């Protein structure tokens, strides 16, 4: 992979807030707008990116980790054109990966010859050291939050650790499951005020995905909502999110590219 690949990590703190939904639909929306996208399902607890994209993967990360297959051999191109690195369904927890396994994953990514514009990493929930190491290595961090107290608390906790303990920037908030765009922005303002006051840092707003039953309908048909209901509010929101993502400043220095990803991970590990 080239240094021009933008690596984006999607985190949340709490599970069930829409991380995979965002990762999958953002990947499809970017691909539909002509970008080359790879999606890494790094949530090893539940490999649901495959389900959401409606693709059967003969092999997954567990076959790579056991040495049976190379990373290239497990990658599947979905009908939407996204290159998917399938997670190891229910076999491992991200936190349970050994240092050696972690290093081998990263090493393999860096030597992939696939040309991609965006590598989107659907992280496991929580803030295990491994999740944080991965988030550090990404160029941009998208934090998904819902407007409920535990999701807000967990998102803030994740942001706090990323800023205070890891010195990370380029943190963007995505409000999910909102009643309106305006309420999503308000939720961002609330969280950002707390960040400014208690962390002395601000974060950035990326966008809002409204609550939309079409998302569940799409999942039941093993489709992205952009395929299942292109005219829905959710599809509109994801197209907008893709546009915002494309518009983010591209770091064409080493920072943000795949090489950077590898180097940062190696650094955090030692
Ligand atoms: N904006 C939304 N509107 C309606 N349902 C949603 C929305 N976002 C996510 N969901 C649903 O919420 C559930 C959890 O989402 P998921 O993406 O799997 O969360 P996570 O990956 O954070 O655990 C899924 O059933 C998904 O379809
Ligand atoms: Mg998930």
């Amino acid at each position: 992979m080239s240094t021009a690949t933008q690596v984006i990590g999607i985190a949340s703190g709490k599970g069930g807030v829409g991380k995979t939904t965002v990762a999958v639909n953002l990947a499809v929306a970017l691909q539909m707008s002509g970008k080359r996208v790879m999606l890494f399902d790094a949530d090893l607890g539940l490999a649901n990116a495959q389900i959401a994209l409606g693709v059967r993967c003969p092999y997954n990360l567990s076959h790579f980790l056991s040495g049976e297959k190379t990373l290239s051999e497990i990658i599947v191109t979905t009908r939407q054109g996204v290159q998917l690195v399938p997670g190891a369904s229910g076999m491992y927890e991200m936190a349970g990966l050994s240092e050696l396994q972690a290093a081998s994953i990263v090493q393999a990514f860096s030597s992939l010859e696939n040309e991609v514009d965006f590598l989107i990493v659907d992280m496991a929930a929580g803030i295990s050291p491994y999740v944080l190491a991965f988030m550090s290595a990404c160029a941009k961090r998208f934090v998904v939050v819902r407007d409920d107290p535990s999701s807000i608390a967990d998102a803030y906790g994740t942001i706090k650790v990323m800023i205070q303990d890891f010195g990370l920037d380029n943190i963007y908030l995505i409000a999910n499951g909102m009643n309106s765009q305006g309420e999503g922005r308000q939720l961002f303002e609330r969280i950002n005020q707390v960040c400014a006051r208690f962390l002395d840092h601000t974060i950035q707003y990326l966008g809002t995905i409204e609550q939309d039953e079409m998302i569940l309908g799409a999942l039941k048909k093993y489709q992205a909502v952009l395929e299942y209901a292109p005219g829905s509010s959710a599809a509109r929101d994801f197209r907008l999110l893709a546009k915002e993502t494309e518009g983010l400043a591209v770091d064409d220095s080493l920072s943000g590219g795949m090489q950077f990803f590898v180097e940062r991970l190696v650094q955090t590990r030692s």
Side-chain angles (χ1 to χ4, degrees):
M1 273 194 206
S2 74
T3 53
T5 304
Q6 285 287 297
V7 186
I8 297 173
I10 315 244
S12 64
K14 188 171 175 269
V17 302
K19 224 165 355 82
T20 300
T21 302
V22 167
V24 162
N25 286 287
L26 178 61
V28 170
L30 284 167
Q31 186 74 36
M32 281 179 167
S33 78
K35 299 294 175 189
R36 296 162 302 179
V37 184
M38 184 176 285
L39 176 62
F40 174 26
D41 183 354
D43 184 352
L44 301 186
L46 291 162
N48 42 23
Q50 301 175 47
I51 297 167
L53 286 163
V55 63
R56 261 179 232 277
C57 304
Y59 306 106
N60 60 50
L61 207 62
S62 68
H63 298 95
F64 167 76
L65 292 170
S66 68
E68 288 165 66
K69 296 285 165 192
T70 65
L71 194 58
S72 299
E73 285 169 338
I74 69 166
I75 294 174
V76 169
T77 302
T78 73
R79 65 169 180 273
Q80 302 89 350
V82 173
Q83 299 177 59
L84 175 68
V85 183
S89 177
M91 294 186 62
Y92 299 84
E93 287 298 325
M94 207 60 182
L97 282 184
S98 72
E99 296 281 285
L100 201 65
Q101 287 172 321
S104 71
I105 293 173
V106 170
Q107 205 64 57
F109 266 104
S110 70
S111 50
L112 277 181
E113 282 172 11
N114 312 41
E115 286 296 328
V116 299
D117 301 306
F118 293 96
L119 170 63
I120 296 175
V121 186
D122 182 10
M123 296 302 316
I127 45 172
S128 67
Y130 195 77
V131 166
L132 281 160
F134 253 96
M135 290 307 279
S136 304
C138 293
K140 307 250 161 26
R141 295 129 198 129
F142 293 178
V143 176
V144 181
V145 66
R146 272 183 181 268
D147 192 8
D148 75 65
S150 66
S151 173
I152 295 171
D154 286 357
Y156 175 71
T158 302
I159 293 165
K160 182 178 175 194
V161 171
M162 290 197 292
I163 291 176
Q164 288 193 331
D165 300 349
F166 288 77
L168 301 178
D169 53 6
N170 286 313
I171 299 171
Y172 297 82
L173 201 82
I174 298 171
N176 185 34
M178 305 302 300
N179 291 318
S180 69
Q181 293 290 319
E183 284 183 24
R185 188 176 267 282
Q186 279 168 20
L187 176 60
F188 161 75
E189 299 293 353
R190 266 158 56 207
I191 294 172
N192 197 31
Q193 272 165 23
V194 178
C195 292
R197 181 157 170 214
F198 296 103
L199 306 179
D200 204 22
H201 271 85
T202 54
I203 57 169
Q204 291 165 82
Y205 176 69
L206 194 72
T208 292
I209 310 299
E210 289 176 24
Q211 180 69 21
D212 186 345
E213 62 186 17
M214 290 299 158
I215 288 182
L216 215 58
L219 195 60
K220 284 184 184 152
K221 295 276 190 218
Y222 309 103
Q223 289 178 13
V225 76
L226 285 102
E227 302 168 277
Y228 176 75
S232 63
S233 64
R236 174 206 63 201
D237 294 344
F238 282 116
R239 280 191 293 267
L240 204 60
L241 203 68
K243 206 168 219 165
E244 291 297 324
T245 302
E246 286 179 52
L248 295 179
V250 178
D251 301 303
D252 52 6
S253 61
L254 263 190
S255 123
M258 187 51 69
Q259 192 56 40
F260 178 69
F261 184 60
V262 176
E263 282 170 9
R264 284 291 284 269
L265 252 178
V266 171
Q267 270 172 25
T268 27
R269 287 177 52 244
S270 52

